[in-house]
Amino acid sequence: MPDPATYRPKPGEIPVEPGVYRFRDPAGRVIYVGKAKSLRARLANYFQDLSALHPRTMAMVTTAASVEWTVVATEVEALQLEYSWIKEFDPRFNVKYRDDKSYPYLAVTMGEQVPRVQVLRGAKRKGTRYFGPYTHAWAIRETVDLLLRVFPVRTCSAGVYKRAGQVGRPCLLGYIDKCSAPCVGKISPEDHKALAQDFCDFMAGNTARFVRRAEQQMKAAAAELDYERAARLRDDLGALTKALEKSAVVLPDATDADVFAIADDELEAAVQVFHVRGGRVRGQRGWISEKVEDVGTPELVEQLLLQVYGGESGEGVPREVLVPELPATVESDVEDWLSELRGSRVDLRVPQRGDKRALLETVHRNATQALALHKTRRGGDLTTRSLALTELQEALGLDEAPLRIECYDVSHTQETNVVASMVVFEDGLPKKSDYRRFAVRGDEGGLDDTRAMREVLTRRFRRLRTEEAAGPITETADGVEVETSGAVSGEVLAGLDPETGRPRRFAYAPNLVVVDGGQPQVEAAARALADVGVVDVALCGLAKRLEEVWLPGETHPVVLPRTSQGLFLLQRVRDEAHRFAITYHRAKRSKAMTTSALDGVPGLGQARKSALLRHFGSVKKLRAATVEEVAAVPGMGPRTAAAVVEALAARTPEPAVNTATGELID
């Protein structure tokens, strides 16, 4: 493994101007490309103490064997050069957004003498107008088929067009009036080009004038008693309306924007973009990217814009680009670069309110669902799950693969409403019927994370030992007594309570216990297991900041490779435990915030509470009422009325505070 000190340049040799730098491995391959406002300040960050670097950055600098740089005049030039080098070298440590296909566009070849409508993928061609991208090619063909009634532009290839001109006979579309047949001279090339321009205007969002024109012509034909022509125009109007319905109106008609959203975790990021043209969503795209570096949303946005628009000729860059956060580079640099590509001003911003903010939230929901679906598919693959369990067995030094994993997480707000969760994964898949939640009581003398974790594990494994000590269970099956051991995992009858006949809640011991946290939480969990006498269950912790795996008694963590399926499984288990814990915590906190002075009064249910508050108007007035006045409320008896008065008298009301002055209100 190369030592960064062996190829570190002297600080005085590195210029302070903006530029682009490249790290190369011993074979000379470029493994990372970056840009900087000041090369000297940026490169100095890579050559500090390795222990201070993020593990992924440390992996990059220890893989590299040399670094070189190129000075440019401005940060915009650095942005352009960085993109071109990323495209050229495809560095392994740069963030890459890749999908599994190129998305289709609806293209009109306006650069030709007789324009043609077609579906195109890949690089943009000069002189061709593009609309999209669309998710599916069939969506484009459906739209074109509808619009050819109104705008009969040619769709045939050059060979078919040439042959039709030679034989003097149009193709089938020419006979059914879905092509104006310029090949045989039914329409002049100039008029056909004007027809293609109208088609482009309609696709660009200028739809109102065409709908208005069709309505006026239909009414005029009906007034002249030309009902056949009126019927054709009616059908044309229906085709236009149906084509418009295929694109949801989300913004004003003149709006052209691309709306980006990102949902990410420590290892991967899901990107979604909605292409809005003429106020309508014309297309949608999505990517799943592996995060090689420890980068935040601004850096992801910057790399995303570079890769999405870097190959555009300018026609694909809209007037507005809406993002969840502004790029890491100074805003004007990316805006200037996009404006240069488009040839006019591009507004790059984060929407704060209104329809555009609502659309951004919709795109973000799509990104979140895409990331969840990706993880579900990845976790649902049998081969991948087997590999993950094998990797965990090797990394943690286990005798066998951890087929049953239990993960624990603690959730609280400043040590109030402290709860914990236990989630179970069997064979790499969640087993939600075995999930449990705990209300932490403070048995260990406090309610901080470590004491709460120790209490929860003590309660869980003490219960397990109690159920194991219950001994064999005798059940009757078809008149024959069957004896099974309550400590045997996997037996149907083993998990039954002998008194109630119901399944035991903690009947099975896990192969691996995972706690959400680092070394302190792991040591607290180890003490809990030792106190209960559990010695045959493996234990580890997953620290969220650097995704390190901690083992009890170890001074250094286990760092799994970023692409490890075992790490992915641990993350999924940890995230599920966190979700389950925080859901319970929020429910408990909400319940605590809506308590009433009438709670806990014997014989007083929700209906009687509502009746009392309706009658007296407030708890303050109810507190001043006598037993007889309370008993006079419909549904209240003397005994319950006395209990209410007694309970309210025993509970001293909290003094009210004037929030403006801080004074107590009498």
Side-chain angles (χ1 to χ4, degrees):
M1 182 174 64
D3 183 1
T6 60
Y7 65 89
R8 176 178 182 173
K10 297 179 181 179
E13 297 175 350
I14 309 175
V16 296
E17 288 81 14
V20 182
Y21 54 91
R22 305 181 296 280
F23 281 88
R24 294 182 181 270
D25 64 9
R29 292 186 295 264
V30 176
I31 61 172
Y32 185 75
V33 174
K35 68 177 184 318
K37 184 176 182 181
S38 170
L39 285 169
R40 181 181 299 176
R42 185 70 183 93
L43 288 176
N45 293 333
Y46 291 101
F47 295 102
Q48 54 182 310
D49 184 12
L50 288 178
S51 61
L53 295 176
H54 188 278
R56 300 185 185 101
T57 307
M58 181 178 66
M60 189 272 291
V61 297
T62 53
T63 303
S66 63
V67 61
E68 55 192 34
W69 56 83
T70 300
V71 177
V72 296
T74 65
E75 291 182 63
V76 176
E77 290 183 23
L79 201 66
Q80 295 170 330
L81 183 58
E82 180 194 27
Y83 171 75
S84 63
W85 278 353
I86 289 175
K87 294 288 285 184
E88 178 181 354
F89 299 117
D90 193 24
R92 55 178 289 203
F93 284 98
N94 279 92
V95 176
K96 302 179 184 69
Y97 296 97
R98 291 173 174 162
D99 48 21
D100 58 351
K101 57 185 177 294
S102 63
Y103 282 78
Y105 287 80
L106 172 59
V108 185
T109 57
M110 296 299 294
E112 298 180 2
Q113 183 181 8
V114 182
R116 172 192 175 193
V117 175
Q118 59 184 322
V119 178
L120 287 181
R121 299 177 186 265
K124 303 291 194 302
R125 303 174 185 176
K126 189 176 181 180
T128 300
R129 290 198 62 179
Y130 290 88
F131 303 95
Y134 289 79
T135 309
H136 302 286
W138 55 261
I140 304 179
R141 295 189 179 98
E142 281 188 358
T143 302
V144 171
D145 187 62
L146 288 169
L147 294 181
L148 287 181
R149 289 186 54 90
V150 187
F151 309 104
V153 184
R154 86 171 180 102
T155 57
C156 58
S157 64
V160 173
Y161 181 81
K162 184 178 179 180
R163 269 195 311 273
Q166 290 172 344
V167 300
R169 217 172 37 245
C171 63
L172 176 63
L173 292 179
Y175 283 110
I176 64 175
D177 295 329
K178 284 196 172 181
C179 177
S180 53
C183 54
V184 294
K186 282 189 176 181
I187 186 174
S188 67
E190 293 76 17
D191 290 342
H192 183 272
K193 197 159 191 174
L195 191 64
Q197 184 61 52
D198 286 346
F199 180 90
C200 292
D201 290 344
F202 183 87
M203 291 301 302
N206 302 323
T207 58
R209 67 186 179 97
F210 297 106
V211 174
R212 222 172 19 247
R213 185 177 69 183
E215 289 177 344
Q216 292 171 355
Q217 291 176 348
M218 180 184 67
K219 292 177 181 178
E224 296 171 2
L225 305 183
D226 189 355
Y227 296 119
E228 290 186 2
R229 183 167 180 268
R232 286 197 301 271
L233 289 168
R234 177 202 61 200
D235 294 341
D236 291 350
L237 183 60
L240 291 177
T241 305
K242 192 171 182 181
L244 290 174
E245 289 173 352
K246 287 183 175 292
S247 300
V249 178
V250 293
L251 296 172
D253 286 345
T255 302
D256 289 345
D258 284 348
V259 188
F260 293 89
I262 297 176
D264 65 327
D265 58 17
E266 289 74 16
L267 293 181
E268 294 173 309
V271 176
Q272 287 284 314
V273 54
F274 280 15
H275 301 279
V276 180
R277 300 296 183 267
R280 299 173 181 272
V281 178
R282 301 293 184 180
Q284 175 185 0
R285 299 173 71 182
W287 301 269
I288 298 292
S289 170
E290 291 186 352
K291 294 170 63 176
V292 182
E293 284 191 295
D294 180 27
V295 293
T297 301
E299 291 81 7
L300 289 174
V301 168
E302 179 183 322
Q303 295 293 332
L304 176 63
L305 297 180
L306 279 174
Q307 296 184 41
V308 169
Y309 297 119
E312 299 286 351
S313 61
E315 295 181 358
V317 182
R319 287 193 292 265
E320 281 186 282
V321 177
L322 307 180
V323 293
E325 294 185 32
L326 292 176
T329 306
V330 180
E331 176 187 352
S332 59
D333 293 337
V334 180
E335 277 190 338
D336 292 345
W337 176 66
L338 292 174
S339 300
E340 184 179 331
L341 284 177
R342 177 179 169 81
S344 60
R345 175 70 179 173
V346 174
D347 187 14
L348 175 66
R349 64 190 182 88
V350 180
Q352 301 296 329
R353 61 185 67 86
D355 294 338
K356 293 178 181 178
R357 180 66 187 182
L359 181 59
L360 178 63
E361 292 172 353
T362 300
V363 181
H364 184 265
R365 283 196 296 272
N366 279 266
T368 303
Q369 292 173 0
L371 183 61
L373 179 61
H374 169 73
K375 288 181 174 295
T376 301
R377 287 175 175 171
R378 184 176 176 184
D381 181 70
L382 178 60
T383 304
T384 304
R385 297 203 315 268
S386 300
L387 177 60
L389 295 174
T390 303
E391 288 182 356
L392 285 181
Q393 178 186 354
E394 295 175 354
L396 304 180
L398 306 179
D399 296 332
E400 57 184 14
L403 297 181
R404 181 180 171 97
I405 302 174
E406 292 181 2
C407 184
Y408 297 83
D409 185 27
V410 175
S411 181
H412 60 85
T413 303
Q414 295 182 349
E415 299 187 9
T416 61
N417 299 314
V418 185
V419 300
S421 67
M422 178 188 99
V423 301
V424 179
F425 274 56
E426 287 191 354
D427 197 20
L429 293 176
K431 188 179 181 184
K432 295 194 175 183
S433 61
D434 285 5
Y435 284 15
R436 296 294 180 264
R437 57 189 191 182
F438 300 84
V440 179
R441 301 189 292 255
D443 295 346
E444 299 296 323
L447 291 175
D448 60 358
D449 282 358
T450 55
R451 290 190 175 97
M453 185 66 71
R454 186 174 179 181
E455 175 190 328
V456 169
L457 286 172
T458 300
R459 287 164 55 185
R460 186 268 183 272
F461 284 96
R462 186 176 291 154
R463 177 66 177 270
L464 174 65
R465 288 292 180 251
T466 301
E467 293 183 347
E468 288 178 344
I473 305 169
T474 301
E475 295 288 339
T476 301
D478 297 330
V480 180
E481 288 191 347
V482 180
E483 185 178 273
T484 60
S485 171
V488 178
S489 175
E491 298 288 343
V492 176
L493 299 179
L496 298 179
D497 190 296
E499 297 180 1
T500 64
R502 297 177 180 176
R504 289 171 167 172
R505 295 197 301 167
F506 296 131
Y508 306 140
N511 303 110
L512 174 65
V513 169
V514 181
V515 297
D516 182 14
Q519 192 175 24
Q521 286 78 11
V522 172
E523 297 302 332
R527 288 195 299 271
L529 296 181
D531 291 345
V532 181
V534 176
V535 295
D536 56 348
V537 175
L539 171 67
C540 73
L542 184 62
K544 191 172 183 61
R545 189 174 71 88
L546 298 178
E547 301 301 312
E548 302 163 329
V549 180
W550 286 90
L551 300 177
E554 299 291 337
T555 56
H556 298 287
V558 176
V559 180
L560 296 176
R562 182 189 58 81
T563 56
S564 166
Q565 295 297 333
L567 177 60
F568 173 78
L569 177 58
L570 285 181
Q571 279 188 312
R572 190 175 175 213
V573 172
R574 187 269 316 278
D575 293 344
E576 179 70 355
H578 180 69
R579 179 199 66 79
F580 195 52
I582 201 168
T583 301
Y584 181 34
H585 169 69
R586 286 171 178 166
K588 190 173 182 181
R589 184 180 61 193
S590 299
K591 185 176 180 180
M593 295 174 66
T594 57
T595 57
S596 167
L598 298 175
D599 292 342
V601 177
L604 193 65
Q606 187 59 45
R608 288 181 172 181
K609 288 181 190 177
S610 301
L612 287 173
L613 292 175
R614 274 197 307 270
H615 183 82
F616 290 99
S618 68
V619 176
K620 182 178 180 180
K621 292 180 179 178
L622 176 59
R623 197 186 300 274
T626 63
V627 175
E628 291 75 15
E629 291 173 337
V630 174
V633 177
M636 297 293 296
R639 184 180 301 175
T640 306
V644 169
V645 173
E646 182 181 353
L648 292 178
R651 299 176 186 177
T652 305
E654 294 288 338
V657 179
N658 187 327
T659 56
T661 63
E663 298 176 343
L664 296 180
I665 301 174
D666 187 6

